[in-house]
Amino acid sequence: MDFECLAAVERELITRNVGLCPQRYQRSPETLSPSGVVVAGYAGHLFIADGGNTWEQQILGRLRLSPEAAQRWSSLLTSRAEKARQLRVRMVHLIVPEKQIALPSFRWKTDLVPDMSGRPLLQILASAPQDMEIIYPLALFEAHQAWCELYWRGNSHWCASGCILTAKAVIRALLGDGHTGKDRFLLERAAIPHDLTTHFTGDVAFEEVIRIRPAGRRVMDSLTFQKTGHYGGSHYIVRNPDAPVAETLVIFGDSYACDLGLTAALTAYFAEVHFVWSKQIDWAYVEETRAQHVVWESAERFLIAPPAED
């Protein structure tokens, strides 16, 4: 399935799901969930409002990085760049834009979109080392948002189209343009739960979606979700002997990478991909695996709290 076809099928499925389940989506804009964590936007879109990361306070510039936190980020990125050079690994940092940033007109009326220039990410980028590759695919999303869904409407996460655009940017940064001509990603139909609708309805709602599936076989799995009901702390390895790049990649990240597509996408290109749920980089593990590539991934809202030194 080519990308244009995927985008069309996604839009058809998402539009159908919204129509089939109006109780999940038909709310007046600015309606808050009882917990205050989720807020309704336009056309059925739901967004993380504040919650544990006080995200919209970050957007509005009311919650900024302290000078100490900004310095911790600068020191951490500098030390990571140096460590990557020492180990001779290619490394990228990937920051996933939050839904409000990529789709502001579905959160606010067009003439009421707030100034978002004070959010922590922009403070971090201002002092990041110049030789650190940081991918923030906002411009890529803006270029495609007119005809791609990019994010599920009842979910805080990207859908397959948003993930694939980002994965191609990561692959290009690690391998160059030679591997991005023809998509190798594998897709499947699946039923998944959405993380935002439940804040209004109280039930766990499964909907049919198109998602990316791994291109290889899991040879190690911590089975964290099966044991705990949560993905936090997950660790697994996928091997793909048919991958075009006979090298190892380790990705340290969160739900965007773990179960919502990014790791699965990268398995189509790298012979061995390790996923580790962590905000820190375990350099001993990178050395142990003899990885040639490292990806650190984070949702933008988590940047308000710098991770501990690796």
Side-chain angles (χ1 to χ4, degrees):
M1 184 185 296
D2 62 25
F3 187 80
E4 289 76 11
C5 183
L6 165 64
V9 172
E10 272 191 337
R11 177 152 292 179
E12 181 180 341
L13 274 176
I14 289 171
T15 302
R16 187 196 69 174
N17 289 337
V18 170
L20 285 174
C21 305
Q23 72 278 12
R24 298 176 192 160
Y25 296 102
Q26 290 185 3
R27 285 178 178 79
S28 299
E30 300 298 336
T31 300
L32 280 170
S33 66
S35 64
V37 171
V38 179
V39 62
Y42 293 87
H45 280 282
L46 302 178
F47 298 85
I48 293 176
D50 279 316
N53 303 108
T54 53
W55 169 234
E56 292 208 333
Q57 297 304 304
Q58 295 185 50
I59 288 177
L60 298 172
R62 296 171 185 165
L63 183 63
R64 295 172 59 86
L65 288 173
S66 67
E68 295 78 15
Q71 181 56 47
R72 283 172 59 194
W73 269 114
S74 180
S75 297
L76 179 64
L77 293 176
T78 299
S79 65
R80 285 178 174 178
E82 178 58 31
K83 188 66 174 180
R85 281 193 293 271
Q86 290 175 7
L87 296 181
R88 297 183 179 180
V89 299
R90 183 75 174 120
M91 179 180 184
V92 300
H93 281 66
L94 168 64
I95 312 300
V96 182
E98 298 293 342
K99 199 172 175 181
Q100 288 98 323
I101 307 298
L103 302 175
S105 61
F106 288 103
R107 170 63 182 92
W108 300 279
K109 288 184 178 179
T110 303
D111 58 345
L112 295 177
V113 173
D115 177 7
M116 297 181 278
S117 62
R119 63 192 195 274
L121 169 70
L122 303 184
Q123 294 178 263
I124 293 168
L125 293 179
S127 61
Q130 292 192 354
D131 59 347
M132 172 60 71
E133 181 87 47
I134 299 177
I135 297 174
Y136 183 63
L138 179 59
L140 196 57
F141 284 10
E142 290 174 337
H144 289 80
Q145 66 89 21
W147 56 281
C148 287
E149 287 291 320
L150 300 174
Y151 297 79
W152 286 301
R153 299 194 193 187
N155 204 308
S156 62
H157 297 88
W158 57 27
C159 48
S161 56
C163 182
I164 285 175
L165 287 171
T166 305
K168 291 176 75 171
V170 171
I171 293 162
R172 188 176 297 110
L174 294 174
L175 302 175
D177 291 330
H179 289 277
T180 56
K182 181 181 179 181
D183 289 353
R184 300 178 58 88
F185 309 111
L186 302 182
L187 303 173
E188 65 181 0
R189 294 168 62 185
I192 70 163
H194 289 313
D195 64 345
L196 300 185
T197 56
T198 185
H199 285 268
F200 285 104
T201 64
D203 65 333
V204 178
F206 284 78
E207 292 182 358
E208 183 182 2
V209 302
I210 299 292
R211 70 178 180 187
I212 305 166
R213 67 177 176 87
R217 181 174 64 89
R218 288 199 187 193
V219 297
M220 191 285 286
D221 193 338
S222 64
L223 300 175
T224 301
F225 182 79
Q226 291 86 334
K227 295 173 182 176
T228 68
H230 301 282
Y231 286 104
S234 294
H235 178 199
Y236 60 85
I237 303 169
V238 178
R239 288 189 182 138
N240 176 13
D242 299 321
V245 180
E247 295 177 346
T248 297
L249 178 147
V250 180
I251 179 165
F252 299 91
D254 53 35
S255 52
Y256 283 92
C258 178
D259 59 304
L260 287 160
L262 182 62
T263 299
L266 295 175
T267 65
Y269 288 82
F270 294 91
E272 185 164 302
V273 178
H274 297 235
F275 172 80
V276 181
W277 187 296
S278 177
K279 288 305 172 202
Q280 296 169 275
I281 294 177
D282 184 342
W283 291 108
Y285 185 77
V286 172
E287 291 187 77
E288 176 189 333
T289 60
R290 298 182 180 179
Q292 292 88 0
H293 308 274
V294 173
V295 176
W296 183 88
E297 172 273 320
S298 177
E300 183 176 350
R301 66 183 182 275
F302 298 140
L303 301 181
I304 192 65
E309 287 291 329
D310 300 324

